[in-house]
Amino acid sequence: MNLRSSWVAETGQTREDTRLTQTGVTTMTNPVQVRSGILPGSYGGQYRLSGFWTFGSAAMTATVSEGRAVIQGEISQGAYPVTLPASETVTFAPGNAQYNRIDLLVLKIYDTLYDSSLRTEAKIEVIQGQANQDPQPPATPPRCLPLYEVTVPAGASAGNGGIPWASALKDLRTPVVSLGGILPVEGPVLPGAYPGQYQDAGGALQRWDGGAWVSYPSALGGIIPAASSTTPASYTGQYRDTAAGEFQRWSGSAWVPVVPKSYFTDSADFGDTTSSTYTSTLTARTVNPLAVNFVAPPSGAVLVSFGGRMKSRSDLYAFMALKLTKGSTVVEDLNDEWAVQAAMDNLTSCGTMRRVSGLTPGTTYTFTAFFRVIANTAGVKGGFDNTYIRVDQQV
């Protein structure tokens, strides 16, 4: 019978039975196996993962700090718990004369039931890589937990400076926690084992939904802060603050502004024209043309307001109108029907507002101001001052 138990039979309980049935410090990967890794924690609680931290202590020697870990064997072998109660030193072989190599520092389980080693023990070992022009780390043997990759430079030895520890160590350690515990993510992000499993990804608490890790803000219903504004939304109606200071709501498919955005431009310079056809250039004015770019909201609609102080003559109209473009494409051309008009001898404040719809959400458009005066033989100019354009997104 394949069913295993522990602490039931009066005699005959094997080491394999014990490993297969333990339910302590384990992060599941499937119904039977667990993730190999290191128990998190540090002195004083300052760091997420201190177990088996390694540092250079001599030219060719490194010190491995104390720690606890779990090493998963094949599915029928169970998980091996290991503990290093005090730090230990390991020595690396001298470097190759010509090429660099990458060694692998591991926790290794020797179990003669499966490897014919005639040994039954756990060891900290260095698996030496091959020196090469493009060195690669050696493969990880069965029942091994990688701790670090260590680059050994060509010619490195105790007599010529040894290994440059500050740059030679690549940390491969990953944590594990007890069943149901929140896993602090260090190293590669691995799939969850069941819907409802949680992990701490550093900046966000994440839940496994059966196919992906879904991030939560500080609390369900909370506003995702600007520092985490790249965190994916968890539900329709969620809010976030962006690095640009814009408050947004997740619509179910996109982040949209909660408060519609406004775009504005103006010119306080007076300018005039004798042109009876629309022109974007006014004489004596430094801002030519007067234009504003804006991004169409998800609704595809905006309110545009424009105007200024205008004059011509009491019997001759001056016009200010807008042209809407998308790049070099004219979306809405000039039209007297939508223009601001004035027939006054003196400057008079004039303005209008209209709604423009049917725009492509997320696309940048431009409103540009054009001016003219009605055709006349008297050379009367249309004068314009304090002109402005304002665009308000519509939700």
Side-chain angles (χ1 to χ4, degrees):
M1 186 173 181
N2 288 327
L3 186 64
R4 305 294 185 95
S5 65
S6 60
W7 318 121
V8 173
E10 293 183 6
T11 61
Q13 179 173 324
T14 66
R15 291 168 294 170
E16 192 175 76
D17 291 334
T18 305
R19 292 193 305 270
L20 282 166
T21 55
Q22 63 181 343
T23 57
V25 181
T26 51
T27 297
M28 304 301 295
T29 59
N30 58 47
V32 178
Q33 291 179 292
V34 301
R35 186 184 300 183
S36 296
I38 297 167
L39 277 65
S42 62
Y43 297 109
Q46 293 178 278
Y47 306 102
R48 294 159 73 92
L49 193 62
S50 289
F52 300 97
W53 177 63
T54 300
F55 58 93
S57 50
M60 301 298 293
T61 301
T63 297
V64 182
S65 303
E66 60 271 26
R68 298 177 67 193
V70 174
I71 302 172
Q72 173 67 54
E74 296 298 325
I75 193 166
S76 63
Q77 297 170 9
Y80 298 81
V82 298
T83 300
L84 180 66
S87 61
E88 186 172 316
T89 59
V90 291
T91 300
F92 292 79
N96 177 269
Q98 186 176 5
Y99 296 118
N100 296 348
R101 74 168 191 270
I102 299 176
D103 293 349
L104 197 61
L105 180 65
V106 301
L107 299 178
K108 183 172 182 178
I109 297 294
Y110 286 93
D111 191 337
T112 191
L113 289 175
Y114 312 114
D115 56 24
S116 303
S117 63
L118 302 181
R119 301 167 65 182
T120 50
E121 60 179 334
K123 298 285 289 183
I124 297 175
E125 288 194 353
V126 176
I127 301 175
Q128 188 170 311
Q130 295 291 323
N132 196 287
Q133 191 170 3
D134 181 25
Q136 301 297 319
T140 304
R143 294 172 300 284
C144 277
L145 177 63
L147 299 177
Y148 287 85
E149 290 179 7
V150 182
T151 300
V152 180
S157 68
N160 70 352
I163 297 172
W165 293 108
S167 59
L169 290 167
K170 180 181 178 181
D171 195 348
L172 303 178
R173 297 172 301 156
T174 56
V176 291
V177 293
S178 60
L179 183 63
I182 296 175
L183 180 71
V185 177
E186 294 287 336
V189 177
L190 302 177
Y194 56 89
Q197 184 178 359
Y198 286 88
Q199 69 176 18
D200 180 357
L205 181 65
Q206 297 179 329
R207 178 184 181 275
W208 181 255
D209 69 357
W213 289 107
V214 179
S215 295
Y216 284 82
S218 298
L220 185 62
I223 297 170
I224 300 176
S228 305
S229 62
T230 57
T231 300
S234 301
Y235 54 88
T236 300
Q238 187 174 11
Y239 291 90
R240 75 173 183 180
D241 183 20
T242 68
E246 183 178 55
F247 192 37
Q248 297 179 333
R249 177 185 181 274
W250 180 251
S251 69
S253 60
W255 288 105
V256 296
V258 174
V259 179
K261 188 172 182 179
S262 293
Y263 302 83
F264 183 82
T265 188
D266 68 342
S267 173
D269 286 346
F270 176 84
D272 55 29
T273 182
T274 58
S275 176
S276 60
T277 58
Y278 277 113
T279 177
S280 62
T281 301
L282 295 177
T283 58
R285 196 172 75 167
T286 56
V287 179
N288 283 305
L290 182 69
V292 62
N293 297 323
F294 67 95
V295 177
S299 67
V302 297
L303 282 179
V304 57
S305 309
F306 63 99
R309 299 176 67 215
M310 300 165 53
K311 71 173 185 176
S312 55
R313 201 172 72 180
S314 59
D315 59 341
L316 299 173
Y317 280 97
F319 296 81
M320 176 183 177
L322 298 183
K323 179 185 288 188
L324 177 61
T325 55
K326 181 176 67 174
S328 58
T329 302
V330 176
V331 177
E332 189 175 274
D333 211 343
L334 300 164
N335 190 326
D336 285 350
E337 200 170 309
W338 297 329
V340 178
Q341 305 175 35
M344 301 290 291
D345 295 320
N346 300 311
L347 285 169
T348 302
S349 294
C350 305
T352 190
M353 175 191 294
R354 59 184 297 262
R355 187 174 189 270
V356 178
S357 60
L359 306 177
T360 302
T363 300
T364 298
Y365 292 85
T366 303
F367 275 118
T368 304
F370 283 77
F371 309 89
R372 77 180 186 92
V373 64
I374 201 164
N376 64 90
T377 57
V380 173
K381 298 178 180 180
F384 304 87
D385 196 9
N386 295 344
T387 51
Y388 68 91
I389 308 172
R390 173 174 170 169
V391 181
D392 294 293
Q393 293 180 332
Q394 296 289 283
V395 295

